[in-house]
Amino acid sequence: MAEHVKEVPERKRDDFLRWEDYFMSLASISAMRSKDPNTQVGAAIITAEFKVVGLGYNGMPIGCHDDIMPWGKMGSDLSETKYGFVCHAEMNAIMNKNTHDISGSTMYTTHFPCNECAKLIIQSRIKRVVYLHHKKPQDPIYVAAAFLFDTAGVKCKKFEAEKPSITINLSERPS
């Protein structure tokens, strides 16, 4: 009978996902929900107690059908491009939050926030932003965002992965 008893490990696993990799993974998976053909952005809001309280990705506002909205980057004016319509991932994470107070939280985002999202982040009292990509640091909307963050005391940090790649197999149960 003893041969059928499963041996219990004497200590915890040491190859588990670290907090920062876990939270940036949530932002990255959220970005996969975006229907934007050019840029997919995801964001996750995490409290000081390591609780996930909001997720978002860039997409059209609720009730605006994706198939009839413009997704292009070029047009004769704002109304012919996605820029006049798309809600950014950071905005959606804030709007989707499951708690009334996110003061002191950290936002993990796949892209450095623009100036409009920076204002929302600051107004929400988020104190830290961890970003994966900063594609256009010299673009005025990102220069303005960095200035806003610095002025408001929001710390910004480029994400550094401990595990640069994570595989999720949705067809098998974990051991």
Side-chain angles (χ1 to χ4, degrees):
M1 187 172 265
E3 62 194 55
H4 298 294
V5 175
K6 186 175 180 179
E7 188 173 319
V8 178
E10 294 182 16
R11 61 187 186 101
K12 69 178 184 181
R13 293 184 320 132
D14 58 6
D15 62 342
F16 59 90
L17 203 55
R18 303 295 184 255
W19 283 121
E20 288 223 329
D21 288 355
Y22 173 58
F23 296 139
M24 189 57 78
S25 296
L26 293 174
S28 296
I29 288 171
S30 295
M32 295 172 75
R33 281 285 309 142
S34 175
K35 295 174 185 164
D36 189 321
N38 299 297
T39 307
Q40 299 80 46
V41 183
I45 301 171
I46 314 303
T47 68
E49 296 79 31
F50 304 107
K51 304 285 188 241
V52 179
V53 294
L55 296 172
Y57 56 90
N58 58 316
M60 294 299 171
I62 295 169
C64 297
H65 199 280
D66 296 326
D67 292 335
I68 63 170
M69 302 302 288
W71 286 102
K73 295 171 85 172
M74 305 290 239
S76 61
D77 63 45
L78 190 66
S79 68
E80 295 179 1
T81 71
K82 67 179 182 173
Y83 300 113
F85 305 99
V86 169
C87 296
H88 289 187
E90 300 89 342
M91 173 197 295
N92 280 327
I94 291 167
M95 295 303 297
N96 293 336
K97 66 186 174 27
N98 63 10
T99 182
H100 73 285
D101 186 11
I102 54 175
S103 298
S105 293
T106 298
M107 179 173 283
Y108 287 80
T109 183
T110 57
H111 292 67
F112 190 85
C114 70
N115 64 308
E116 293 298 322
C117 290
K119 291 186 272 186
L120 289 169
I121 289 165
I122 293 164
Q123 289 297 93
S124 298
R125 293 183 170 78
I126 291 171
K127 288 297 176 195
R128 191 167 162 252
V129 173
V130 179
Y131 61 92
L132 187 57
H133 304 289
H134 195 345
K135 296 191 312 187
K136 302 176 187 174
Q138 302 308 315
D139 188 310
I141 65 173
Y142 302 109
V143 171
F147 179 73
L148 284 165
F149 287 143
D150 188 51
T151 301
V154 175
K155 305 290 182 214
C156 294
K157 175 187 160 195
K158 173 124 177 60
F159 175 72
E160 294 179 25
E162 181 172 300
K163 292 187 179 190
S165 177
I166 297 169
T167 302
I168 299 172
N169 185 335
L170 300 175
S171 65
E172 293 181 17
R173 290 183 13 206
S175 53

PDB file of all heavy atoms in Angstrom, residues 74-106:
ATOM      1  N   MET A  74      -4.136  57.053 -40.508  1.00  0.00           N
ATOM      2  CA  MET A  74      -4.088  58.214 -41.397  1.00  0.00           C
ATOM      3  C   MET A  74      -5.495  58.573 -41.862  1.00  0.00           C
ATOM      4  O   MET A  74      -6.323  57.695 -42.079  1.00  0.00           O
ATOM      5  CB  MET A  74      -3.219  57.914 -42.624  1.00  0.00           C
ATOM      6  CG  MET A  74      -1.830  57.448 -42.269  1.00  0.00           C
ATOM      7  SD  MET A  74      -0.866  58.767 -41.585  1.00  0.00           S
ATOM      8  CE  MET A  74       0.464  58.801 -42.717  1.00  0.00           C
ATOM      9  N   GLY A  75      -5.731  59.860 -42.014  1.00  0.00           N
ATOM     10  CA  GLY A  75      -7.003  60.354 -42.514  1.00  0.00           C
ATOM     11  C   GLY A  75      -6.908  61.853 -42.681  1.00  0.00           C
ATOM     12  O   GLY A  75      -5.947  62.490 -42.242  1.00  0.00           O
ATOM     13  N   SER A  76      -7.913  62.437 -43.310  1.00  0.00           N
ATOM     14  CA  SER A  76      -7.874  63.885 -43.532  1.00  0.00           C
ATOM     15  C   SER A  76      -8.091  64.663 -42.236  1.00  0.00           C
ATOM     16  O   SER A  76      -7.699  65.818 -42.134  1.00  0.00           O
ATOM     17  CB  SER A  76      -8.901  64.297 -44.594  1.00  0.00           C
ATOM     18  OG  SER A  76     -10.208  63.969 -44.154  1.00  0.00           O
ATOM     19  N   ASP A  77      -8.724  64.015 -41.255  1.00  0.00           N
ATOM     20  CA  ASP A  77      -8.866  64.634 -39.936  1.00  0.00           C
ATOM     21  C   ASP A  77      -9.047  63.543 -38.881  1.00  0.00           C
ATOM     22  O   ASP A  77      -9.128  62.364 -39.194  1.00  0.00           O
ATOM     23  CB  ASP A  77     -10.012  65.658 -39.905  1.00  0.00           C
ATOM     24  CG  ASP A  77     -11.380  65.052 -40.167  1.00  0.00           C
ATOM     25  OD1 ASP A  77     -11.699  63.984 -39.591  1.00  0.00           O
ATOM     26  OD2 ASP A  77     -12.154  65.654 -40.932  1.00  0.00           O
ATOM     27  N   LEU A  78      -9.117  63.959 -37.633  1.00  0.00           N
ATOM     28  CA  LEU A  78      -9.197  63.045 -36.497  1.00  0.00           C
ATOM     29  C   LEU A  78     -10.362  62.063 -36.606  1.00  0.00           C
ATOM     30  O   LEU A  78     -10.254  60.904 -36.210  1.00  0.00           O
ATOM     31  CB  LEU A  78      -9.311  63.862 -35.201  1.00  0.00           C
ATOM     32  CG  LEU A  78      -9.165  63.108 -33.894  1.00  0.00           C
ATOM     33  CD1 LEU A  78      -7.754  62.562 -33.728  1.00  0.00           C
ATOM     34  CD2 LEU A  78      -9.515  64.023 -32.724  1.00  0.00           C
ATOM     35  N   SER A  79     -11.464  62.504 -37.180  1.00  0.00           N
ATOM     36  CA  SER A  79     -12.658  61.656 -37.252  1.00  0.00           C
ATOM     37  C   SER A  79     -12.521  60.488 -38.216  1.00  0.00           C
ATOM     38  O   SER A  79     -13.356  59.592 -38.223  1.00  0.00           O
ATOM     39  CB  SER A  79     -13.884  62.494 -37.628  1.00  0.00           C
ATOM     40  OG  SER A  79     -13.773  62.956 -38.959  1.00  0.00           O
ATOM     41  N   GLU A  80     -11.458  60.492 -39.009  1.00  0.00           N
ATOM     42  CA  GLU A  80     -11.230  59.398 -39.957  1.00  0.00           C
ATOM     43  C   GLU A  80     -10.150  58.427 -39.479  1.00  0.00           C
ATOM     44  O   GLU A  80      -9.755  57.530 -40.220  1.00  0.00           O
ATOM     45  CB  GLU A  80     -10.853  59.964 -41.324  1.00  0.00           C
ATOM     46  CG  GLU A  80     -11.975  60.753 -41.971  1.00  0.00           C
ATOM     47  CD  GLU A  80     -11.579  61.325 -43.323  1.00  0.00           C
ATOM     48  OE1 GLU A  80     -10.429  61.095 -43.770  1.00  0.00           O
ATOM     49  OE2 GLU A  80     -12.421  62.002 -43.922  1.00  0.00           O
ATOM     50  N   THR A  81      -9.660  58.631 -38.262  1.00  0.00           N
ATOM     51  CA  THR A  81      -8.620  57.768 -37.708  1.00  0.00           C
ATOM     52  C   THR A  81      -9.074  57.175 -36.384  1.00  0.00           C
ATOM     53  O   THR A  81     -10.049  57.635 -35.784  1.00  0.00           O
ATOM     54  CB  THR A  81      -7.320  58.556 -37.450  1.00  0.00           C
ATOM     55  OG1 THR A  81      -7.522  59.441 -36.347  1.00  0.00           O
ATOM     56  CG2 THR A  81      -6.883  59.337 -38.678  1.00  0.00           C
ATOM     57  N   LYS A  82      -8.337  56.199 -35.916  1.00  0.00           N
ATOM     58  CA  LYS A  82      -8.637  55.577 -34.625  1.00  0.00           C
ATOM     59  C   LYS A  82      -8.411  56.539 -33.464  1.00  0.00           C
ATOM     60  O   LYS A  82      -9.005  56.385 -32.396  1.00  0.00           O
ATOM     61  CB  LYS A  82      -7.782  54.323 -34.429  1.00  0.00           C
ATOM     62  CG  LYS A  82      -6.294  54.600 -34.273  1.00  0.00           C
ATOM     63  CD  LYS A  82      -5.516  53.317 -34.054  1.00  0.00           C
ATOM     64  CE  LYS A  82      -4.036  53.607 -33.839  1.00  0.00           C
ATOM     65  NZ  LYS A  82      -3.313  52.409 -33.464  1.00  0.00           N
ATOM     66  N   TYR A  83      -7.576  57.546 -33.647  1.00  0.00           N
ATOM     67  CA  TYR A  83      -7.154  58.410 -32.544  1.00  0.00           C
ATOM     68  C   TYR A  83      -8.290  59.190 -31.891  1.00  0.00           C
ATOM     69  O   TYR A  83      -8.202  59.532 -30.718  1.00  0.00           O
ATOM     70  CB  TYR A  83      -6.040  59.362 -33.002  1.00  0.00           C
ATOM     71  CG  TYR A  83      -4.824  58.608 -33.491  1.00  0.00           C
ATOM     72  CD1 TYR A  83      -4.448  58.654 -34.828  1.00  0.00           C
ATOM     73  CD2 TYR A  83      -4.081  57.823 -32.612  1.00  0.00           C
ATOM     74  CE1 TYR A  83      -3.337  57.947 -35.277  1.00  0.00           C
ATOM     75  CE2 TYR A  83      -2.981  57.104 -33.061  1.00  0.00           C
ATOM     76  CZ  TYR A  83      -2.617  57.181 -34.389  1.00  0.00           C
ATOM     77  OH  TYR A  83      -1.533  56.470 -34.847  1.00  0.00           O
ATOM     78  N   GLY A  84      -9.329  59.460 -32.628  1.00  0.00           N
ATOM     79  CA  GLY A  84     -10.457  60.169 -32.047  1.00  0.00           C
ATOM     80  C   GLY A  84     -11.410  59.269 -31.273  1.00  0.00           C
ATOM     81  O   GLY A  84     -12.343  59.764 -30.635  1.00  0.00           O
ATOM     82  N   PHE A  85     -11.178  57.976 -31.304  1.00  0.00           N
ATOM     83  CA  PHE A  85     -12.161  57.032 -30.770  1.00  0.00           C
ATOM     84  C   PHE A  85     -11.640  56.009 -29.760  1.00  0.00           C
ATOM     85  O   PHE A  85     -12.335  55.678 -28.805  1.00  0.00           O
ATOM     86  CB  PHE A  85     -12.821  56.284 -31.936  1.00  0.00           C
ATOM     87  CG  PHE A  85     -13.425  57.206 -32.954  1.00  0.00           C
ATOM     88  CD1 PHE A  85     -12.754  57.517 -34.123  1.00  0.00           C
ATOM     89  CD2 PHE A  85     -14.663  57.787 -32.714  1.00  0.00           C
ATOM     90  CE1 PHE A  85     -13.308  58.384 -35.051  1.00  0.00           C
ATOM     91  CE2 PHE A  85     -15.228  58.650 -33.633  1.00  0.00           C
ATOM     92  CZ  PHE A  85     -14.550  58.963 -34.813  1.00  0.00           C
ATOM     93  N   VAL A  86     -10.463  55.490 -29.975  1.00  0.00           N
ATOM     94  CA  VAL A  86      -9.955  54.384 -29.154  1.00  0.00           C
ATOM     95  C   VAL A  86      -9.728  54.822 -27.709  1.00  0.00           C
ATOM     96  O   VAL A  86      -9.144  55.870 -27.442  1.00  0.00           O
ATOM     97  CB  VAL A  86      -8.645  53.808 -29.748  1.00  0.00           C
ATOM     98  CG1 VAL A  86      -7.961  52.845 -28.788  1.00  0.00           C
ATOM     99  CG2 VAL A  86      -8.931  53.097 -31.063  1.00  0.00           C
ATOM    100  N   CYS A  87     -10.197  53.996 -26.777  1.00  0.00           N
ATOM    101  CA  CYS A  87      -9.901  54.172 -25.354  1.00  0.00           C
ATOM    102  C   CYS A  87      -8.603  53.426 -25.074  1.00  0.00           C
ATOM    103  O   CYS A  87      -8.469  52.254 -25.428  1.00  0.00           O
ATOM    104  CB  CYS A  87     -11.019  53.581 -24.493  1.00  0.00           C
ATOM    105  SG  CYS A  87     -12.608  54.400 -24.676  1.00  0.00           S
ATOM    106  N   HIS A  88      -7.667  54.100 -24.445  1.00  0.00           N
ATOM    107  CA  HIS A  88      -6.373  53.484 -24.161  1.00  0.00           C
ATOM    108  C   HIS A  88      -6.479  52.459 -23.036  1.00  0.00           C
ATOM    109  O   HIS A  88      -7.379  52.514 -22.193  1.00  0.00           O
ATOM    110  CB  HIS A  88      -5.356  54.556 -23.800  1.00  0.00           C
ATOM    111  CG  HIS A  88      -4.953  55.394 -24.973  1.00  0.00           C
ATOM    112  ND1 HIS A  88      -3.950  56.327 -24.898  1.00  0.00           N
ATOM    113  CD2 HIS A  88      -5.417  55.439 -26.255  1.00  0.00           C
ATOM    114  CE1 HIS A  88      -3.806  56.900 -26.077  1.00  0.00           C
ATOM    115  NE2 HIS A  88      -4.684  56.385 -26.914  1.00  0.00           N
ATOM    116  N   ALA A  89      -5.535  51.529 -23.016  1.00  0.00           N
ATOM    117  CA  ALA A  89      -5.517  50.449 -22.027  1.00  0.00           C
ATOM    118  C   ALA A  89      -5.484  50.980 -20.597  1.00  0.00           C
ATOM    119  O   ALA A  89      -6.169  50.457 -19.716  1.00  0.00           O
ATOM    120  CB  ALA A  89      -4.306  49.547 -22.271  1.00  0.00           C
ATOM    121  N   GLU A  90      -4.699  52.030 -20.372  1.00  0.00           N
ATOM    122  CA  GLU A  90      -4.589  52.595 -19.031  1.00  0.00           C
ATOM    123  C   GLU A  90      -5.938  53.141 -18.563  1.00  0.00           C
ATOM    124  O   GLU A  90      -6.346  52.921 -17.419  1.00  0.00           O
ATOM    125  CB  GLU A  90      -3.526  53.712 -19.008  1.00  0.00           C
ATOM    126  CG  GLU A  90      -2.139  53.249 -19.400  1.00  0.00           C
ATOM    127  CD  GLU A  90      -1.833  53.327 -20.893  1.00  0.00           C
ATOM    128  OE1 GLU A  90      -2.772  53.426 -21.719  1.00  0.00           O
ATOM    129  OE2 GLU A  90      -0.643  53.295 -21.240  1.00  0.00           O
ATOM    130  N   MET A  91      -6.631  53.842 -19.461  1.00  0.00           N
ATOM    131  CA  MET A  91      -7.966  54.369 -19.145  1.00  0.00           C
ATOM    132  C   MET A  91      -8.918  53.226 -18.824  1.00  0.00           C
ATOM    133  O   MET A  91      -9.659  53.280 -17.834  1.00  0.00           O
ATOM    134  CB  MET A  91      -8.522  55.161 -20.331  1.00  0.00           C
ATOM    135  CG  MET A  91      -9.970  55.605 -20.145  1.00  0.00           C
ATOM    136  SD  MET A  91     -10.793  56.098 -21.677  1.00  0.00           S
ATOM    137  CE  MET A  91      -9.866  57.537 -22.121  1.00  0.00           C
ATOM    138  N   ASN A  92      -8.897  52.193 -19.643  1.00  0.00           N
ATOM    139  CA  ASN A  92      -9.799  51.060 -19.419  1.00  0.00           C
ATOM    140  C   ASN A  92      -9.489  50.333 -18.116  1.00  0.00           C
ATOM    141  O   ASN A  92     -10.408  49.911 -17.413  1.00  0.00           O
ATOM    142  CB  ASN A  92      -9.769  50.100 -20.612  1.00  0.00           C
ATOM    143  CG  ASN A  92     -10.629  50.595 -21.751  1.00  0.00           C
ATOM    144  OD1 ASN A  92     -11.663  51.243 -21.531  1.00  0.00           O
ATOM    145  ND2 ASN A  92     -10.215  50.329 -22.962  1.00  0.00           N
ATOM    146  N   ALA A  93      -8.212  50.193 -17.778  1.00  0.00           N
ATOM    147  CA  ALA A  93      -7.862  49.546 -16.501  1.00  0.00           C
ATOM    148  C   ALA A  93      -8.404  50.360 -15.325  1.00  0.00           C
ATOM    149  O   ALA A  93      -8.942  49.799 -14.367  1.00  0.00           O
ATOM    150  CB  ALA A  93      -6.349  49.370 -16.384  1.00  0.00           C
ATOM    151  N   ILE A  94      -8.293  51.685 -15.413  1.00  0.00           N
ATOM    152  CA  ILE A  94      -8.817  52.549 -14.348  1.00  0.00           C
ATOM    153  C   ILE A  94     -10.335  52.455 -14.293  1.00  0.00           C
ATOM    154  O   ILE A  94     -10.930  52.326 -13.219  1.00  0.00           O
ATOM    155  CB  ILE A  94      -8.330  54.000 -14.529  1.00  0.00           C
ATOM    156  CG1 ILE A  94      -6.814  54.083 -14.266  1.00  0.00           C
ATOM    157  CG2 ILE A  94      -9.101  54.956 -13.622  1.00  0.00           C
ATOM    158  CD1 ILE A  94      -6.164  55.389 -14.703  1.00  0.00           C
ATOM    159  N   MET A  95     -10.984  52.485 -15.441  1.00  0.00           N
ATOM    160  CA  MET A  95     -12.448  52.421 -15.485  1.00  0.00           C
ATOM    161  C   MET A  95     -12.965  51.041 -15.061  1.00  0.00           C
ATOM    162  O   MET A  95     -14.057  50.933 -14.511  1.00  0.00           O
ATOM    163  CB  MET A  95     -12.969  52.751 -16.883  1.00  0.00           C
ATOM    164  CG  MET A  95     -12.685  54.185 -17.317  1.00  0.00           C
ATOM    165  SD  MET A  95     -13.346  55.429 -16.186  1.00  0.00           S
ATOM    166  CE  MET A  95     -15.086  55.107 -16.295  1.00  0.00           C
ATOM    167  N   ASN A  96     -12.181  49.989 -15.293  1.00  0.00           N
ATOM    168  CA  ASN A  96     -12.587  48.620 -14.956  1.00  0.00           C
ATOM    169  C   ASN A  96     -12.183  48.207 -13.541  1.00  0.00           C
ATOM    170  O   ASN A  96     -12.412  47.058 -13.162  1.00  0.00           O
ATOM    171  CB  ASN A  96     -11.961  47.616 -15.942  1.00  0.00           C
ATOM    172  CG  ASN A  96     -12.497  47.761 -17.340  1.00  0.00           C
ATOM    173  OD1 ASN A  96     -13.590  48.259 -17.541  1.00  0.00           O
ATOM    174  ND2 ASN A  96     -11.709  47.349 -18.316  1.00  0.00           N
ATOM    175  N   LYS A  97     -11.587  49.091 -12.785  1.00  0.00           N
ATOM    176  CA  LYS A  97     -11.082  48.718 -11.455  1.00  0.00           C
ATOM    177  C   LYS A  97     -12.218  48.189 -10.584  1.00  0.00           C
ATOM    178  O   LYS A  97     -13.356  48.624 -10.696  1.00  0.00           O
ATOM    179  CB  LYS A  97     -10.367  49.882 -10.782  1.00  0.00           C
ATOM    180  CG  LYS A  97     -11.228  51.059 -10.435  1.00  0.00           C
ATOM    181  CD  LYS A  97     -10.396  52.196  -9.903  1.00  0.00           C
ATOM    182  CE  LYS A  97     -11.105  53.481  -9.650  1.00  0.00           C
ATOM    183  NZ  LYS A  97     -12.487  53.520  -9.353  1.00  0.00           N
ATOM    184  N   ASN A  98     -11.878  47.263  -9.720  1.00  0.00           N
ATOM    185  CA  ASN A  98     -12.895  46.630  -8.882  1.00  0.00           C
ATOM    186  C   ASN A  98     -12.855  47.117  -7.438  1.00  0.00           C
ATOM    187  O   ASN A  98     -13.334  46.448  -6.538  1.00  0.00           O
ATOM    188  CB  ASN A  98     -12.775  45.096  -8.941  1.00  0.00           C
ATOM    189  CG  ASN A  98     -11.463  44.601  -8.395  1.00  0.00           C
ATOM    190  OD1 ASN A  98     -10.693  45.341  -7.807  1.00  0.00           O
ATOM    191  ND2 ASN A  98     -11.198  43.317  -8.609  1.00  0.00           N
ATOM    192  N   THR A  99     -12.290  48.288  -7.229  1.00  0.00           N
ATOM    193  CA  THR A  99     -12.254  48.910  -5.906  1.00  0.00           C
ATOM    194  C   THR A  99     -12.371  50.413  -6.098  1.00  0.00           C
ATOM    195  O   THR A  99     -12.015  50.931  -7.154  1.00  0.00           O
ATOM    196  CB  THR A  99     -10.951  48.549  -5.158  1.00  0.00           C
ATOM    197  OG1 THR A  99     -10.980  49.142  -3.866  1.00  0.00           O
ATOM    198  CG2 THR A  99      -9.719  49.013  -5.887  1.00  0.00           C
ATOM    199  N   HIS A 100     -12.892  51.106  -5.108  1.00  0.00           N
ATOM    200  CA  HIS A 100     -13.064  52.545  -5.270  1.00  0.00           C
ATOM    201  C   HIS A 100     -11.765  53.316  -5.110  1.00  0.00           C
ATOM    202  O   HIS A 100     -11.624  54.419  -5.601  1.00  0.00           O
ATOM    203  CB  HIS A 100     -14.121  53.077  -4.297  1.00  0.00           C
ATOM    204  CG  HIS A 100     -13.655  53.139  -2.876  1.00  0.00           C
ATOM    205  ND1 HIS A 100     -13.537  52.014  -2.085  1.00  0.00           N
ATOM    206  CD2 HIS A 100     -13.241  54.183  -2.120  1.00  0.00           C
ATOM    207  CE1 HIS A 100     -13.091  52.377  -0.898  1.00  0.00           C
ATOM    208  NE2 HIS A 100     -12.900  53.672  -0.885  1.00  0.00           N
ATOM    209  N   ASP A 101     -10.793  52.737  -4.434  1.00  0.00           N
ATOM    210  CA  ASP A 101      -9.561  53.460  -4.137  1.00  0.00           C
ATOM    211  C   ASP A 101      -8.351  52.682  -4.635  1.00  0.00           C
ATOM    212  O   ASP A 101      -8.104  51.563  -4.195  1.00  0.00           O
ATOM    213  CB  ASP A 101      -9.453  53.696  -2.631  1.00  0.00           C
ATOM    214  CG  ASP A 101      -8.265  54.581  -2.263  1.00  0.00           C
ATOM    215  OD1 ASP A 101      -7.648  55.180  -3.160  1.00  0.00           O
ATOM    216  OD2 ASP A 101      -7.969  54.667  -1.063  1.00  0.00           O
ATOM    217  N   ILE A 102      -7.625  53.286  -5.557  1.00  0.00           N
ATOM    218  CA  ILE A 102      -6.392  52.656  -6.052  1.00  0.00           C
ATOM    219  C   ILE A 102      -5.172  53.508  -5.702  1.00  0.00           C
ATOM    220  O   ILE A 102      -4.113  53.364  -6.295  1.00  0.00           O
ATOM    221  CB  ILE A 102      -6.475  52.359  -7.564  1.00  0.00           C
ATOM    222  CG1 ILE A 102      -6.838  53.593  -8.376  1.00  0.00           C
ATOM    223  CG2 ILE A 102      -7.441  51.221  -7.832  1.00  0.00           C
ATOM    224  CD1 ILE A 102      -6.813  53.394  -9.880  1.00  0.00           C
ATOM    225  N   SER A 103      -5.330  54.383  -4.719  1.00  0.00           N
ATOM    226  CA  SER A 103      -4.215  55.221  -4.260  1.00  0.00           C
ATOM    227  C   SER A 103      -3.020  54.356  -3.884  1.00  0.00           C
ATOM    228  O   SER A 103      -3.172  53.346  -3.207  1.00  0.00           O
ATOM    229  CB  SER A 103      -4.630  56.018  -3.023  1.00  0.00           C
ATOM    230  OG  SER A 103      -5.692  56.874  -3.318  1.00  0.00           O
ATOM    231  N   GLY A 104      -1.850  54.764  -4.345  1.00  0.00           N
ATOM    232  CA  GLY A 104      -0.629  54.053  -3.992  1.00  0.00           C
ATOM    233  C   GLY A 104      -0.367  52.807  -4.809  1.00  0.00           C
ATOM    234  O   GLY A 104       0.621  52.111  -4.568  1.00  0.00           O
ATOM    235  N   SER A 105      -1.225  52.521  -5.777  1.00  0.00           N
ATOM    236  CA  SER A 105      -1.065  51.314  -6.595  1.00  0.00           C
ATOM    237  C   SER A 105       0.036  51.487  -7.637  1.00  0.00           C
ATOM    238  O   SER A 105       0.559  52.582  -7.844  1.00  0.00           O
ATOM    239  CB  SER A 105      -2.377  50.982  -7.308  1.00  0.00           C
ATOM    240  OG  SER A 105      -3.360  50.600  -6.391  1.00  0.00           O
ATOM    241  N   THR A 106       0.337  50.394  -8.311  1.00  0.00           N
ATOM    242  CA  THR A 106       1.280  50.375  -9.432  1.00  0.00           C
ATOM    243  C   THR A 106       0.519  49.979 -10.685  1.00  0.00           C
ATOM    244  O   THR A 106      -0.314  49.072 -10.648  1.00  0.00           O
ATOM    245  CB  THR A 106       2.414  49.359  -9.181  1.00  0.00           C
ATOM    246  OG1 THR A 106       3.150  49.762  -8.022  1.00  0.00           O
ATOM    247  CG2 THR A 106       3.355  49.257 -10.368  1.00  0.00           C
TER     248      THR A 106
END
